[in-house]
Amino acid sequence: MRSVLYKELGKMLLTSCAIFGVFFLMLFAAESLIDSLRGVLLQWHDPAFLVGIPASVVGVAYVLTIRNPKNYTGFILGIVMSLLLAWQFYLQGNMDLVMLYTLVFIPFMVLSLRAWRQSTLGLVKEDKPLEPTFVDKHKFLMIVLVFVAVVVLDYVLVTLLINHDGWCDDMLIKLLGGTMIASSLLANILMIRQRNDAWIHWVIYSAAGIAFYVVVGNLFSILLFVVFLIINARAQIAWIRMTKPSNYGWARQDS
């Protein structure tokens, strides 16, 4: 069983490498054909950009692997991805995100690895089918409130402690950044219990990332988050297809 899961992990890592191989070839071709894009898409001189490449490759492989809710080995890639992203954010001077990934996301990855492994072993021993679920209506409302609270808290902290600017300065950037933090935080929490709602938050994270980098004006990151959005959306669809109508929770029409 374990060898099969690790074999799938290796396959997904190779698939991710192929995806990014094609992605970078397209960007290289665009830079070669359009002079105004030269050095804009592929910033080989930037150490943070170079660290971001393996972080993105491992991150996509992580999502592709845990798209199979029985494959707990994907969280090994998740831990590696978090370490690489923390390194990238350190190079960029974003110490708040360094702390978020090292002190919050990596522990969540470890918890998810343990919980998914126990769940998988239980399903195998008891010969039970996998049954993904949505949270119930009350938990859904609580999650919405937590989401809003995290966005507001992040806005306050960034304004007062990080940027030291006015409440209306860079409002859109702050809100989108807070949305990315809130959605990724909740996605990691929900992923521990294998809730479908986790993928909803990963989709929100990807969409907010696209909007964030449109405002910032980083074309490479826009394209990168489009890739993330497609992969996360496909994972969401895959999990919904595995969900029984009785497990739709807040999404049930009669709830």
Side-chain angles (χ1 to χ4, degrees), residues 216-246:
V216 172
N218 189 320
L219 183 56
F220 173 80
S221 294
I222 294 171
L223 297 174
L224 184 61
F225 270 83
V226 168
V227 174
F228 291 157
L229 178 62
I230 293 171
I231 292 173
N232 287 327
R234 286 175 61 86
Q236 172 74 93
I237 293 171
W239 273 41
I240 289 177
R241 287 176 176 171
M242 288 184 282
T243 305
K244 293 182 178 180
S246 58

PDB file of all heavy atoms in Angstrom, residues 216-246:
ATOM      1  N   VAL A 216      -0.346  44.532  -8.277  1.00  0.00           N
ATOM      2  CA  VAL A 216       1.088  44.756  -8.072  1.00  0.00           C
ATOM      3  C   VAL A 216       1.813  44.930  -9.407  1.00  0.00           C
ATOM      4  O   VAL A 216       2.813  45.651  -9.496  1.00  0.00           O
ATOM      5  CB  VAL A 216       1.696  43.586  -7.269  1.00  0.00           C
ATOM      6  CG1 VAL A 216       3.209  43.692  -7.208  1.00  0.00           C
ATOM      7  CG2 VAL A 216       1.117  43.580  -5.861  1.00  0.00           C
ATOM      8  N   GLY A 217       1.291  44.251 -10.430  1.00  0.00           N
ATOM      9  CA  GLY A 217       1.915  44.346 -11.753  1.00  0.00           C
ATOM     10  C   GLY A 217       3.005  43.322 -11.993  1.00  0.00           C
ATOM     11  O   GLY A 217       3.972  43.586 -12.708  1.00  0.00           O
ATOM     12  N   ASN A 218       2.848  42.123 -11.419  1.00  0.00           N
ATOM     13  CA  ASN A 218       3.823  41.046 -11.595  1.00  0.00           C
ATOM     14  C   ASN A 218       3.232  40.006 -12.546  1.00  0.00           C
ATOM     15  O   ASN A 218       2.444  39.158 -12.145  1.00  0.00           O
ATOM     16  CB  ASN A 218       4.160  40.411 -10.237  1.00  0.00           C
ATOM     17  CG  ASN A 218       5.316  39.437 -10.324  1.00  0.00           C
ATOM     18  OD1 ASN A 218       5.431  38.672 -11.268  1.00  0.00           O
ATOM     19  ND2 ASN A 218       6.187  39.464  -9.330  1.00  0.00           N
ATOM     20  N   LEU A 219       3.618  40.096 -13.818  1.00  0.00           N
ATOM     21  CA  LEU A 219       3.011  39.250 -14.848  1.00  0.00           C
ATOM     22  C   LEU A 219       3.313  37.776 -14.634  1.00  0.00           C
ATOM     23  O   LEU A 219       2.440  36.916 -14.825  1.00  0.00           O
ATOM     24  CB  LEU A 219       3.495  39.697 -16.235  1.00  0.00           C
ATOM     25  CG  LEU A 219       2.895  38.960 -17.441  1.00  0.00           C
ATOM     26  CD1 LEU A 219       1.374  39.037 -17.420  1.00  0.00           C
ATOM     27  CD2 LEU A 219       3.452  39.541 -18.737  1.00  0.00           C
ATOM     28  N   PHE A 220       4.553  37.458 -14.228  1.00  0.00           N
ATOM     29  CA  PHE A 220       4.914  36.055 -14.003  1.00  0.00           C
ATOM     30  C   PHE A 220       4.024  35.433 -12.934  1.00  0.00           C
ATOM     31  O   PHE A 220       3.508  34.322 -13.099  1.00  0.00           O
ATOM     32  CB  PHE A 220       6.383  35.943 -13.586  1.00  0.00           C
ATOM     33  CG  PHE A 220       6.778  34.550 -13.177  1.00  0.00           C
ATOM     34  CD1 PHE A 220       7.059  33.584 -14.122  1.00  0.00           C
ATOM     35  CD2 PHE A 220       6.835  34.194 -11.836  1.00  0.00           C
ATOM     36  CE1 PHE A 220       7.411  32.289 -13.751  1.00  0.00           C
ATOM     37  CE2 PHE A 220       7.182  32.911 -11.441  1.00  0.00           C
ATOM     38  CZ  PHE A 220       7.471  31.959 -12.411  1.00  0.00           C
ATOM     39  N   SER A 221       3.843  36.138 -11.814  1.00  0.00           N
ATOM     40  CA  SER A 221       3.022  35.603 -10.718  1.00  0.00           C
ATOM     41  C   SER A 221       1.559  35.479 -11.114  1.00  0.00           C
ATOM     42  O   SER A 221       0.865  34.572 -10.651  1.00  0.00           O
ATOM     43  CB  SER A 221       3.166  36.489  -9.474  1.00  0.00           C
ATOM     44  OG  SER A 221       4.483  36.434  -8.970  1.00  0.00           O
ATOM     45  N   ILE A 222       1.079  36.383 -11.977  1.00  0.00           N
ATOM     46  CA  ILE A 222      -0.294  36.269 -12.477  1.00  0.00           C
ATOM     47  C   ILE A 222      -0.466  34.942 -13.205  1.00  0.00           C
ATOM     48  O   ILE A 222      -1.407  34.176 -12.939  1.00  0.00           O
ATOM     49  CB  ILE A 222      -0.635  37.435 -13.420  1.00  0.00           C
ATOM     50  CG1 ILE A 222      -0.654  38.765 -12.671  1.00  0.00           C
ATOM     51  CG2 ILE A 222      -1.997  37.199 -14.095  1.00  0.00           C
ATOM     52  CD1 ILE A 222      -0.781  39.974 -13.577  1.00  0.00           C
ATOM     53  N   LEU A 223       0.464  34.647 -14.121  1.00  0.00           N
ATOM     54  CA  LEU A 223       0.389  33.399 -14.887  1.00  0.00           C
ATOM     55  C   LEU A 223       0.537  32.184 -13.976  1.00  0.00           C
ATOM     56  O   LEU A 223      -0.139  31.169 -14.152  1.00  0.00           O
ATOM     57  CB  LEU A 223       1.476  33.392 -15.963  1.00  0.00           C
ATOM     58  CG  LEU A 223       1.366  34.488 -17.026  1.00  0.00           C
ATOM     59  CD1 LEU A 223       2.579  34.456 -17.956  1.00  0.00           C
ATOM     60  CD2 LEU A 223       0.078  34.337 -17.828  1.00  0.00           C
ATOM     61  N   LEU A 224       1.420  32.304 -12.973  1.00  0.00           N
ATOM     62  CA  LEU A 224       1.640  31.203 -12.042  1.00  0.00           C
ATOM     63  C   LEU A 224       0.368  30.897 -11.251  1.00  0.00           C
ATOM     64  O   LEU A 224      -0.012  29.729 -11.082  1.00  0.00           O
ATOM     65  CB  LEU A 224       2.775  31.558 -11.084  1.00  0.00           C
ATOM     66  CG  LEU A 224       3.215  30.482 -10.093  1.00  0.00           C
ATOM     67  CD1 LEU A 224       3.730  29.254 -10.822  1.00  0.00           C
ATOM     68  CD2 LEU A 224       4.292  31.033  -9.158  1.00  0.00           C
ATOM     69  N   PHE A 225      -0.323  31.935 -10.792  1.00  0.00           N
ATOM     70  CA  PHE A 225      -1.540  31.720 -10.011  1.00  0.00           C
ATOM     71  C   PHE A 225      -2.707  31.261 -10.887  1.00  0.00           C
ATOM     72  O   PHE A 225      -3.643  30.635 -10.381  1.00  0.00           O
ATOM     73  CB  PHE A 225      -1.898  32.977  -9.222  1.00  0.00           C
ATOM     74  CG  PHE A 225      -1.278  33.013  -7.855  1.00  0.00           C
ATOM     75  CD1 PHE A 225       0.030  33.446  -7.687  1.00  0.00           C
ATOM     76  CD2 PHE A 225      -1.970  32.583  -6.739  1.00  0.00           C
ATOM     77  CE1 PHE A 225       0.631  33.460  -6.441  1.00  0.00           C
ATOM     78  CE2 PHE A 225      -1.387  32.589  -5.489  1.00  0.00           C
ATOM     79  CZ  PHE A 225      -0.081  33.024  -5.328  1.00  0.00           C
ATOM     80  N   VAL A 226      -2.659  31.551 -12.165  1.00  0.00           N
ATOM     81  CA  VAL A 226      -3.651  30.975 -13.084  1.00  0.00           C
ATOM     82  C   VAL A 226      -3.483  29.457 -13.126  1.00  0.00           C
ATOM     83  O   VAL A 226      -4.465  28.701 -13.108  1.00  0.00           O
ATOM     84  CB  VAL A 226      -3.516  31.580 -14.495  1.00  0.00           C
ATOM     85  CG1 VAL A 226      -4.341  30.784 -15.503  1.00  0.00           C
ATOM     86  CG2 VAL A 226      -3.967  33.035 -14.496  1.00  0.00           C
ATOM     87  N   VAL A 227      -2.222  29.007 -13.155  1.00  0.00           N
ATOM     88  CA  VAL A 227      -1.944  27.563 -13.104  1.00  0.00           C
ATOM     89  C   VAL A 227      -2.474  26.969 -11.802  1.00  0.00           C
ATOM     90  O   VAL A 227      -3.138  25.923 -11.795  1.00  0.00           O
ATOM     91  CB  VAL A 227      -0.426  27.296 -13.234  1.00  0.00           C
ATOM     92  CG1 VAL A 227      -0.122  25.811 -13.032  1.00  0.00           C
ATOM     93  CG2 VAL A 227       0.080  27.753 -14.600  1.00  0.00           C
ATOM     94  N   PHE A 228      -2.195  27.656 -10.681  1.00  0.00           N
ATOM     95  CA  PHE A 228      -2.689  27.181  -9.385  1.00  0.00           C
ATOM     96  C   PHE A 228      -4.219  27.104  -9.364  1.00  0.00           C
ATOM     97  O   PHE A 228      -4.800  26.152  -8.829  1.00  0.00           O
ATOM     98  CB  PHE A 228      -2.215  28.109  -8.264  1.00  0.00           C
ATOM     99  CG  PHE A 228      -0.743  28.048  -8.001  1.00  0.00           C
ATOM    100  CD1 PHE A 228      -0.089  29.100  -7.388  1.00  0.00           C
ATOM    101  CD2 PHE A 228      -0.003  26.938  -8.360  1.00  0.00           C
ATOM    102  CE1 PHE A 228       1.275  29.052  -7.136  1.00  0.00           C
ATOM    103  CE2 PHE A 228       1.362  26.868  -8.115  1.00  0.00           C
ATOM    104  CZ  PHE A 228       2.003  27.930  -7.502  1.00  0.00           C
ATOM    105  N   LEU A 229      -4.869  28.121  -9.933  1.00  0.00           N
ATOM    106  CA  LEU A 229      -6.334  28.159  -9.946  1.00  0.00           C
ATOM    107  C   LEU A 229      -6.903  26.963 -10.708  1.00  0.00           C
ATOM    108  O   LEU A 229      -7.847  26.303 -10.244  1.00  0.00           O
ATOM    109  CB  LEU A 229      -6.819  29.464 -10.576  1.00  0.00           C
ATOM    110  CG  LEU A 229      -8.338  29.627 -10.702  1.00  0.00           C
ATOM    111  CD1 LEU A 229      -9.008  29.608  -9.338  1.00  0.00           C
ATOM    112  CD2 LEU A 229      -8.675  30.926 -11.443  1.00  0.00           C
ATOM    113  N   ILE A 230      -6.335  26.659 -11.853  1.00  0.00           N
ATOM    114  CA  ILE A 230      -6.816  25.532 -12.662  1.00  0.00           C
ATOM    115  C   ILE A 230      -6.641  24.219 -11.908  1.00  0.00           C
ATOM    116  O   ILE A 230      -7.565  23.387 -11.838  1.00  0.00           O
ATOM    117  CB  ILE A 230      -6.071  25.488 -14.008  1.00  0.00           C
ATOM    118  CG1 ILE A 230      -6.443  26.710 -14.856  1.00  0.00           C
ATOM    119  CG2 ILE A 230      -6.411  24.206 -14.769  1.00  0.00           C
ATOM    120  CD1 ILE A 230      -5.596  26.864 -16.099  1.00  0.00           C
ATOM    121  N   ILE A 231      -5.477  24.019 -11.315  1.00  0.00           N
ATOM    122  CA  ILE A 231      -5.186  22.765 -10.616  1.00  0.00           C
ATOM    123  C   ILE A 231      -6.054  22.609  -9.372  1.00  0.00           C
ATOM    124  O   ILE A 231      -6.603  21.529  -9.111  1.00  0.00           O
ATOM    125  CB  ILE A 231      -3.693  22.696 -10.263  1.00  0.00           C
ATOM    126  CG1 ILE A 231      -2.867  22.560 -11.545  1.00  0.00           C
ATOM    127  CG2 ILE A 231      -3.401  21.531  -9.326  1.00  0.00           C
ATOM    128  CD1 ILE A 231      -1.386  22.646 -11.342  1.00  0.00           C
ATOM    129  N   ASN A 232      -6.211  23.683  -8.607  1.00  0.00           N
ATOM    130  CA  ASN A 232      -7.054  23.612  -7.401  1.00  0.00           C
ATOM    131  C   ASN A 232      -8.519  23.409  -7.747  1.00  0.00           C
ATOM    132  O   ASN A 232      -9.238  22.677  -7.045  1.00  0.00           O
ATOM    133  CB  ASN A 232      -6.884  24.891  -6.572  1.00  0.00           C
ATOM    134  CG  ASN A 232      -5.549  24.955  -5.860  1.00  0.00           C
ATOM    135  OD1 ASN A 232      -5.005  23.939  -5.444  1.00  0.00           O
ATOM    136  ND2 ASN A 232      -4.989  26.149  -5.717  1.00  0.00           N
ATOM    137  N   ALA A 233      -8.985  24.051  -8.816  1.00  0.00           N
ATOM    138  CA  ALA A 233     -10.378  23.882  -9.240  1.00  0.00           C
ATOM    139  C   ALA A 233     -10.634  22.442  -9.685  1.00  0.00           C
ATOM    140  O   ALA A 233     -11.690  21.863  -9.387  1.00  0.00           O
ATOM    141  CB  ALA A 233     -10.715  24.862 -10.355  1.00  0.00           C
ATOM    142  N   ARG A 234      -9.683  21.859 -10.400  1.00  0.00           N
ATOM    143  CA  ARG A 234      -9.829  20.463 -10.836  1.00  0.00           C
ATOM    144  C   ARG A 234      -9.850  19.518  -9.634  1.00  0.00           C
ATOM    145  O   ARG A 234     -10.595  18.534  -9.620  1.00  0.00           O
ATOM    146  CB  ARG A 234      -8.701  20.095 -11.795  1.00  0.00           C
ATOM    147  CG  ARG A 234      -8.850  20.708 -13.190  1.00  0.00           C
ATOM    148  CD  ARG A 234      -7.635  20.408 -14.045  1.00  0.00           C
ATOM    149  NE  ARG A 234      -7.456  18.983 -14.218  1.00  0.00           N
ATOM    150  CZ  ARG A 234      -8.038  18.245 -15.149  1.00  0.00           C
ATOM    151  NH1 ARG A 234      -8.876  18.825 -16.008  1.00  0.00           N
ATOM    152  NH2 ARG A 234      -7.816  16.951 -15.247  1.00  0.00           N
ATOM    153  N   ALA A 235      -9.039  19.823  -8.613  1.00  0.00           N
ATOM    154  CA  ALA A 235      -9.052  19.003  -7.405  1.00  0.00           C
ATOM    155  C   ALA A 235     -10.390  19.124  -6.687  1.00  0.00           C
ATOM    156  O   ALA A 235     -10.933  18.131  -6.175  1.00  0.00           O
ATOM    157  CB  ALA A 235      -7.912  19.420  -6.474  1.00  0.00           C
ATOM    158  N   GLN A 236     -10.938  20.334  -6.650  1.00  0.00           N
ATOM    159  CA  GLN A 236     -12.256  20.542  -6.035  1.00  0.00           C
ATOM    160  C   GLN A 236     -13.328  19.714  -6.743  1.00  0.00           C
ATOM    161  O   GLN A 236     -14.144  19.039  -6.101  1.00  0.00           O
ATOM    162  CB  GLN A 236     -12.617  22.025  -6.096  1.00  0.00           C
ATOM    163  CG  GLN A 236     -14.041  22.349  -5.663  1.00  0.00           C
ATOM    164  CD  GLN A 236     -14.241  22.267  -4.162  1.00  0.00           C
ATOM    165  OE1 GLN A 236     -14.116  23.247  -3.470  1.00  0.00           O
ATOM    166  NE2 GLN A 236     -14.553  21.080  -3.648  1.00  0.00           N
ATOM    167  N   ILE A 237     -13.323  19.743  -8.060  1.00  0.00           N
ATOM    168  CA  ILE A 237     -14.302  18.975  -8.842  1.00  0.00           C
ATOM    169  C   ILE A 237     -14.145  17.482  -8.578  1.00  0.00           C
ATOM    170  O   ILE A 237     -15.136  16.755  -8.420  1.00  0.00           O
ATOM    171  CB  ILE A 237     -14.139  19.294 -10.337  1.00  0.00           C
ATOM    172  CG1 ILE A 237     -14.534  20.750 -10.614  1.00  0.00           C
ATOM    173  CG2 ILE A 237     -14.992  18.346 -11.190  1.00  0.00           C
ATOM    174  CD1 ILE A 237     -14.203  21.226 -12.012  1.00  0.00           C
ATOM    175  N   ALA A 238     -12.889  17.024  -8.524  1.00  0.00           N
ATOM    176  CA  ALA A 238     -12.638  15.599  -8.276  1.00  0.00           C
ATOM    177  C   ALA A 238     -13.197  15.166  -6.933  1.00  0.00           C
ATOM    178  O   ALA A 238     -13.804  14.090  -6.812  1.00  0.00           O
ATOM    179  CB  ALA A 238     -11.136  15.313  -8.350  1.00  0.00           C
ATOM    180  N   TRP A 239     -13.014  15.990  -5.903  1.00  0.00           N
ATOM    181  CA  TRP A 239     -13.521  15.640  -4.574  1.00  0.00           C
ATOM    182  C   TRP A 239     -15.049  15.682  -4.527  1.00  0.00           C
ATOM    183  O   TRP A 239     -15.670  14.847  -3.866  1.00  0.00           O
ATOM    184  CB  TRP A 239     -12.923  16.582  -3.524  1.00  0.00           C
ATOM    185  CG  TRP A 239     -11.600  16.117  -3.010  1.00  0.00           C
ATOM    186  CD1 TRP A 239     -10.588  15.574  -3.752  1.00  0.00           C
ATOM    187  CD2 TRP A 239     -11.142  16.142  -1.667  1.00  0.00           C
ATOM    188  NE1 TRP A 239      -9.521  15.272  -2.945  1.00  0.00           N
ATOM    189  CE2 TRP A 239      -9.828  15.612  -1.657  1.00  0.00           C
ATOM    190  CE3 TRP A 239     -11.696  16.570  -0.463  1.00  0.00           C
ATOM    191  CZ2 TRP A 239      -9.070  15.489  -0.497  1.00  0.00           C
ATOM    192  CZ3 TRP A 239     -10.939  16.460   0.699  1.00  0.00           C
ATOM    193  CH2 TRP A 239      -9.655  15.918   0.675  1.00  0.00           C
ATOM    194  N   ILE A 240     -15.654  16.640  -5.191  1.00  0.00           N
ATOM    195  CA  ILE A 240     -17.117  16.722  -5.197  1.00  0.00           C
ATOM    196  C   ILE A 240     -17.703  15.481  -5.848  1.00  0.00           C
ATOM    197  O   ILE A 240     -18.731  14.954  -5.398  1.00  0.00           O
ATOM    198  CB  ILE A 240     -17.577  18.003  -5.919  1.00  0.00           C
ATOM    199  CG1 ILE A 240     -17.257  19.237  -5.067  1.00  0.00           C
ATOM    200  CG2 ILE A 240     -19.083  17.949  -6.210  1.00  0.00           C
ATOM    201  CD1 ILE A 240     -17.605  20.548  -5.733  1.00  0.00           C
ATOM    202  N   ARG A 241     -17.071  14.995  -6.891  1.00  0.00           N
ATOM    203  CA  ARG A 241     -17.551  13.789  -7.570  1.00  0.00           C
ATOM    204  C   ARG A 241     -17.482  12.562  -6.673  1.00  0.00           C
ATOM    205  O   ARG A 241     -18.225  11.603  -6.876  1.00  0.00           O
ATOM    206  CB  ARG A 241     -16.737  13.556  -8.847  1.00  0.00           C
ATOM    207  CG  ARG A 241     -17.068  14.541  -9.974  1.00  0.00           C
ATOM    208  CD  ARG A 241     -16.174  14.324 -11.170  1.00  0.00           C
ATOM    209  NE  ARG A 241     -16.560  15.193 -12.277  1.00  0.00           N
ATOM    210  CZ  ARG A 241     -15.865  15.343 -13.396  1.00  0.00           C
ATOM    211  NH1 ARG A 241     -14.739  14.649 -13.565  1.00  0.00           N
ATOM    212  NH2 ARG A 241     -16.286  16.152 -14.350  1.00  0.00           N
ATOM    213  N   MET A 242     -16.585  12.583  -5.681  1.00  0.00           N
ATOM    214  CA  MET A 242     -16.477  11.459  -4.749  1.00  0.00           C
ATOM    215  C   MET A 242     -17.402  11.602  -3.550  1.00  0.00           C
ATOM    216  O   MET A 242     -17.459  10.719  -2.701  1.00  0.00           O
ATOM    217  CB  MET A 242     -15.026  11.341  -4.253  1.00  0.00           C
ATOM    218  CG  MET A 242     -14.043  10.828  -5.285  1.00  0.00           C
ATOM    219  SD  MET A 242     -12.379  10.597  -4.586  1.00  0.00           S
ATOM    220  CE  MET A 242     -11.794  12.286  -4.539  1.00  0.00           C
ATOM    221  N   THR A 243     -18.114  12.712  -3.469  1.00  0.00           N
ATOM    222  CA  THR A 243     -18.943  13.004  -2.298  1.00  0.00           C
ATOM    223  C   THR A 243     -20.370  12.514  -2.491  1.00  0.00           C
ATOM    224  O   THR A 243     -21.008  12.828  -3.492  1.00  0.00           O
ATOM    225  CB  THR A 243     -18.961  14.520  -2.018  1.00  0.00           C
ATOM    226  OG1 THR A 243     -17.629  14.993  -1.896  1.00  0.00           O
ATOM    227  CG2 THR A 243     -19.730  14.825  -0.742  1.00  0.00           C
ATOM    228  N   LYS A 244     -20.868  11.769  -1.516  1.00  0.00           N
ATOM    229  CA  LYS A 244     -22.260  11.316  -1.550  1.00  0.00           C
ATOM    230  C   LYS A 244     -23.195  12.487  -1.242  1.00  0.00           C
ATOM    231  O   LYS A 244     -22.836  13.383  -0.468  1.00  0.00           O
ATOM    232  CB  LYS A 244     -22.481  10.202  -0.520  1.00  0.00           C
ATOM    233  CG  LYS A 244     -21.759   8.907  -0.832  1.00  0.00           C
ATOM    234  CD  LYS A 244     -22.082   7.865   0.222  1.00  0.00           C
ATOM    235  CE  LYS A 244     -21.413   6.546  -0.094  1.00  0.00           C
ATOM    236  NZ  LYS A 244     -21.728   5.509   0.931  1.00  0.00           N
ATOM    237  N   PRO A 245     -24.390  12.510  -1.823  1.00  0.00           N
ATOM    238  CA  PRO A 245     -25.349  13.585  -1.537  1.00  0.00           C
ATOM    239  C   PRO A 245     -25.619  13.759  -0.041  1.00  0.00           C
ATOM    240  O   PRO A 245     -25.844  14.873   0.426  1.00  0.00           O
ATOM    241  CB  PRO A 245     -26.607  13.132  -2.280  1.00  0.00           C
ATOM    242  CG  PRO A 245     -26.086  12.299  -3.414  1.00  0.00           C
ATOM    243  CD  PRO A 245     -24.894  11.580  -2.857  1.00  0.00           C
ATOM    244  N   SER A 246     -25.552  12.679   0.707  1.00  0.00           N
ATOM    245  CA  SER A 246     -25.813  12.765   2.153  1.00  0.00           C
ATOM    246  C   SER A 246     -24.686  13.466   2.904  1.00  0.00           C
ATOM    247  O   SER A 246     -24.852  13.850   4.058  1.00  0.00           O
ATOM    248  CB  SER A 246     -26.006  11.361   2.732  1.00  0.00           C
ATOM    249  OG  SER A 246     -24.862  10.543   2.492  1.00  0.00           O
TER     250      SER A 246
END
